[in-house]
Amino acid sequence: MKSDTAIYNRSKDVSSSTGRYLAEKLKPEPWYKDVVPNFRQLSKEELNPEFDNGNAFTSVCINTAIYLPWLVSQCLQKGVAFKRANLKHISEASKIHHSGQKAHLIVNCTGLSALKLGGVEDKNMMPIRGQTVLVRNEANVMCSSSGTDDGEEEITYLMQRAAGGGTLLGGSYQRGNWDSQLDPNLAVRIMKRCVELCPALTGGKGIEHLDIIRQGVGLRPYRNGGTRIEKEKIDGVWTVHNYGHGGFGYQSSYGCSQKAARLVHEALESRPKLIQMDQELEIERIPTPDLANTTKLIELWQFANDVFNESLRQRPDLGFNEGKRFEQPQDFLEEMGANAITFIQYGRKPQAPDGKAEIIATAGCKPWHIALKLEERVERMREERQAKERESVQDQGRSDQGFYTKEHEDQLLEQLEKVGPMDHSDGQDDVPRWEVMTVCVHPDWQKQGLAEKLLDTVRKEVSSQVKAQGKGPRFKLMVRTMKEINEKYWLNKGFNPVGEKFFEPGLFGSPTGFHITDFSRDHRTDQE
């Protein structure tokens, strides 16, 4: 919820306990002046005599009673399993993974518990006690002051929560205080200060006109030296720390979690590979007709979905929904097309009792001019939808959750009518074009050269096909992909963008929108 916000400062608070904590706010021009909307200095006429300066701006206030359950629901939707446990040592967390197997990595967000948790025992952690009063009264403003004459460990602030969540009155800033019990005298002082600072809270009347919902005490997880966001190995298990946020956990949560996520990916990329390459197995070549109605199709479908979701997890800033990229195995088959050829590279887990090899990488190719491109696929979707409507048959081919839902189909159809087809007019219509498709590599094998090996296999296959058709020597390999996720990769492989369309925010859950880009690279049949 957007809210008008005012900060009132007293020069004498600079050396106080709260003044040191709020040092940036005491400055006439704080660092956030160029970040928040509508920042301005308060005039002398807008300040009570006790304040020396102040500023106002537009800020945001959330209702944590709604926000936290929403976060939990988002995690559940993405398949997160929640478990409760008492741990004496951080390494014990790796043994309670819901799969029953030992976890590859631990993210430590234990807050104040990091002070005493074995394996961490961070002596820089300490509590900063805060006491609040939640009331039903609303003033439609957020405000705070730099200090109070009631004591240097007491502060004044009030925050109106969104969606009828009441107004939170505070507070205190008591370093090293572990007391979880309410102090009734402090509660009275808090209410008096808030009413004096914002008389509109009670219509100019006293604290007896405050409608109290409840009172609370919280211990801020403060850390001397600042928030700890770093990775280390503890008892052989990678651990990413993300704790010590003090009283600004909500404000800093997005930035801190993004940094922690980058450390998670760095740690997982550096860990020993769980799969060993099977040098005896060649890359398998399978035409699409040979895939239909086979267990191998099921394996490929699951593999492609898993790798696709991993690529989304590596870019949480894009906000895409996770889910099945291909809802059914048949969708994967249709995406490839009847004239496609799929290549599969296998690997073997040493601990596998039956020594069974499994898919660790795959790629495919097909003639571009008969490829089921995005516009054509959506048109087929439209025809199938209309046919089912005529037959009054409920569409059960798509789920209502995940990446590719019925709602997203409708959105995609609508947006494609706006953007139209891509134009690849380059005066080279006689040059054979083949599409490179579904380049997927198991996360444990990325950056090991497998994608390059498969791309080279695709190039040789296409070169052979072009020769057999009596064409060439020039031909083009084409790729259609999501720019925001894959552009850098294909540019590094020597591909150049030849067409692009922007899709508006909301499609596939993206809050920013995204681009679908076609890339092309020239090859020759006489250059092996």
Side-chain angles (χ1 to χ4, degrees):
M1 179 182 77
K2 290 183 179 180
S3 178
D4 293 329
T5 302
I7 305 293
Y8 303 100
N9 300 318
R10 308 186 310 176
S11 297
K12 64 181 181 180
D13 294 325
V14 172
S15 59
S16 69
S17 175
T18 56
R20 288 190 295 272
Y21 173 64
L22 302 171
E24 189 65 36
K25 293 183 179 179
L26 284 167
K27 297 178 181 179
E29 293 195 356
W31 68 266
Y32 53 80
K33 68 180 181 65
D34 298 321
V35 177
V36 296
N38 306 317
F39 180 90
R40 65 181 181 88
Q41 297 290 342
L42 293 175
S43 65
K44 291 294 183 181
E45 291 74 22
E46 296 176 283
L47 296 172
N48 291 337
E50 64 177 305
F51 298 116
D52 298 295
N53 64 73
N55 53 70
F57 51 90
T58 301
S59 185
V60 175
C61 189
I62 60 174
N63 187 344
T64 56
I66 296 176
Y67 181 58
L68 290 177
W70 177 82
L71 286 178
V72 171
S73 70
Q74 295 299 298
C75 291
L76 291 171
Q77 186 180 18
K78 295 180 182 299
V80 174
F82 287 87
K83 297 186 71 173
R84 292 180 180 269
N86 293 318
L87 305 178
K88 294 182 178 180
H89 195 281
I90 185 68
S91 63
E92 295 175 17
S94 66
K95 302 173 184 177
I96 57 173
H97 194 273
H98 67 277
S99 67
Q101 300 179 347
K102 186 176 181 180
H104 298 135
L105 182 139
I106 299 167
V107 179
N108 174 26
C109 302
T110 52
L112 269 178
S113 295
L115 175 63
K116 298 181 179 180
L117 182 62
V120 184
E121 297 173 297
D122 190 337
K123 303 306 180 184
N124 289 313
M125 291 298 299
M126 64 179 295
I128 295 183
R129 183 181 182 275
Q131 183 166 323
T132 59
V133 180
L134 183 63
V135 299
R136 292 185 176 87
N137 307 61
E138 295 183 348
N140 298 315
V141 68
M142 291 199 299
C143 55
S144 68
S145 66
S146 60
T148 170
D149 292 334
D150 289 337
E152 72 167 25
E153 289 191 330
E154 296 188 25
I155 52 180
T156 303
Y157 60 84
L158 56 99
M159 297 181 290
Q160 182 176 323
R161 291 177 170 178
T167 302
L168 192 69
L169 312 180
S172 63
Y173 193 78
Q174 300 166 312
R175 297 168 65 92
N177 190 330
W178 288 89
D179 189 1
S180 61
Q181 300 303 307
L182 288 168
D183 180 344
N185 294 324
L186 174 56
V188 171
R189 295 196 297 273
I190 289 172
M191 289 186 284
K192 284 184 176 180
R193 292 198 300 266
C194 287
V195 169
E196 290 174 1
L197 184 64
C198 183
L201 197 62
T202 58
K205 301 177 182 179
I207 66 172
E208 64 274 12
H209 291 276
L210 289 172
D211 188 359
I212 299 174
I213 300 174
R214 62 176 177 271
Q215 301 181 50
V217 173
L219 303 179
R220 303 177 181 93
Y222 178 80
R223 183 175 185 272
N224 288 314
T227 305
R228 186 185 183 191
I229 307 179
E230 59 187 18
K231 69 179 190 294
E232 67 170 328
K233 271 192 174 181
I234 300 177
D235 289 353
V237 179
W238 275 113
T239 302
V240 174
H241 300 287
N242 183 10
Y243 64 84
H245 301 84
F248 49 87
Y250 289 104
Q251 299 94 313
S252 63
S253 59
Y254 273 77
C256 290
S257 62
Q258 287 178 353
K259 183 176 181 180
R262 288 195 293 270
L263 294 178
V264 167
H265 291 300
E266 289 177 10
L268 292 177
E269 287 180 357
S270 66
R271 69 188 177 91
K273 305 304 176 186
L274 299 179
I275 303 175
Q276 292 184 346
M277 190 82 163
D278 192 329
Q279 301 293 346
E280 298 178 358
L281 288 176
E282 298 291 335
I283 293 177
E284 185 175 10
R285 176 185 183 277
I286 310 176
T288 295
D290 295 344
L291 271 177
N293 302 316
T294 65
T295 57
K296 191 156 295 183
L297 172 61
I298 305 297
E299 294 175 9
L300 277 171
W301 166 66
Q302 293 174 334
F303 179 76
N305 279 332
D306 290 343
V307 174
F308 176 75
N309 276 318
E310 179 62 27
S311 69
L312 295 185
R313 284 190 286 269
Q314 292 180 12
R315 290 296 307 274
D317 55 303
L318 295 178
F320 285 110
N321 297 328
E322 289 187 35
K324 296 176 181 178
R325 172 61 181 87
F326 303 101
E327 185 69 24
Q328 304 292 336
Q330 188 63 28
D331 296 329
F332 179 85
L333 207 61
E334 290 183 4
E335 179 84 6
M336 296 304 295
N339 296 77
I341 299 168
T342 299
F343 299 94
I344 304 173
Q345 174 66 64
Y346 296 89
R348 191 186 306 277
K349 288 183 178 179
Q351 69 272 28
D354 56 358
K356 181 183 178 181
E358 60 183 49
I359 299 172
I360 60 173
T362 183
C365 63
K366 63 184 176 184
W368 177 262
H369 69 280
I370 61 170
L372 188 62
K373 297 186 285 293
L374 187 59
E375 297 90 346
E376 297 170 355
R377 178 171 182 174
V378 172
E379 185 58 34
R380 176 178 292 187
M381 287 159 43
R382 186 195 303 278
E383 293 173 355
E384 291 176 351
R385 181 73 61 81
Q386 291 174 346
K388 289 179 179 179
E389 289 175 352
R390 286 195 299 269
E391 298 170 6
S392 299
V393 176
Q394 183 179 2
D395 183 1
Q396 299 177 348
R398 303 284 177 197
S399 66
D400 290 326
Q401 295 182 346
F403 184 82
Y404 208 64
T405 66
K406 289 184 284 188
E407 178 185 0
H408 292 150
E409 284 185 359
D410 294 334
Q411 294 173 347
L412 190 56
L413 287 167
E414 179 181 347
Q415 291 202 31
L416 278 171
E417 291 177 350
K418 295 180 181 179
V419 301
M422 295 191 194
D423 181 13
H424 292 164
S425 178
D426 55 8
Q428 300 179 6
D429 293 338
D430 58 332
V431 177
R433 289 172 168 83
W434 281 64
E435 182 175 9
V436 181
M437 307 182 64
T438 57
V439 180
C440 302
V441 179
H442 190 287
D444 285 340
W445 273 98
Q446 292 175 359
K447 299 184 179 180
Q448 302 296 312
L450 286 183
E452 289 75 9
K453 182 178 180 181
L454 284 168
L455 285 174
D456 189 56
T457 302
V458 167
R459 181 189 60 78
K460 291 178 180 179
E461 172 70 29
V462 174
S463 179
S464 175
Q465 293 278 351
V466 170
K467 285 180 181 178
Q469 295 170 4
K471 299 179 180 179
R474 294 184 59 215
F475 66 92
K476 292 177 178 286
L477 291 183
M478 309 290 294
V479 175
R480 174 164 286 185
T481 187
M482 196 173 291
K483 175 181 179 179
E484 285 76 5
I485 294 180
N486 296 317
E487 178 185 41
K488 183 177 179 181
Y489 176 85
W490 290 109
L491 289 176
N492 288 338
K493 299 304 175 189
F495 283 73
N496 297 308
V498 294
E500 184 173 285
K501 293 295 182 182
F502 177 72
F503 291 83
E504 297 174 357
L507 188 59
F508 303 138
S510 170
T512 59
F514 60 92
H515 296 80
I516 293 295
T517 304
D518 286 348
F519 292 87
S520 172
R521 181 178 176 180
D522 290 335
H523 292 277
R524 295 181 64 90
T525 60
D526 53 5
Q527 291 180 351
E528 291 297 333

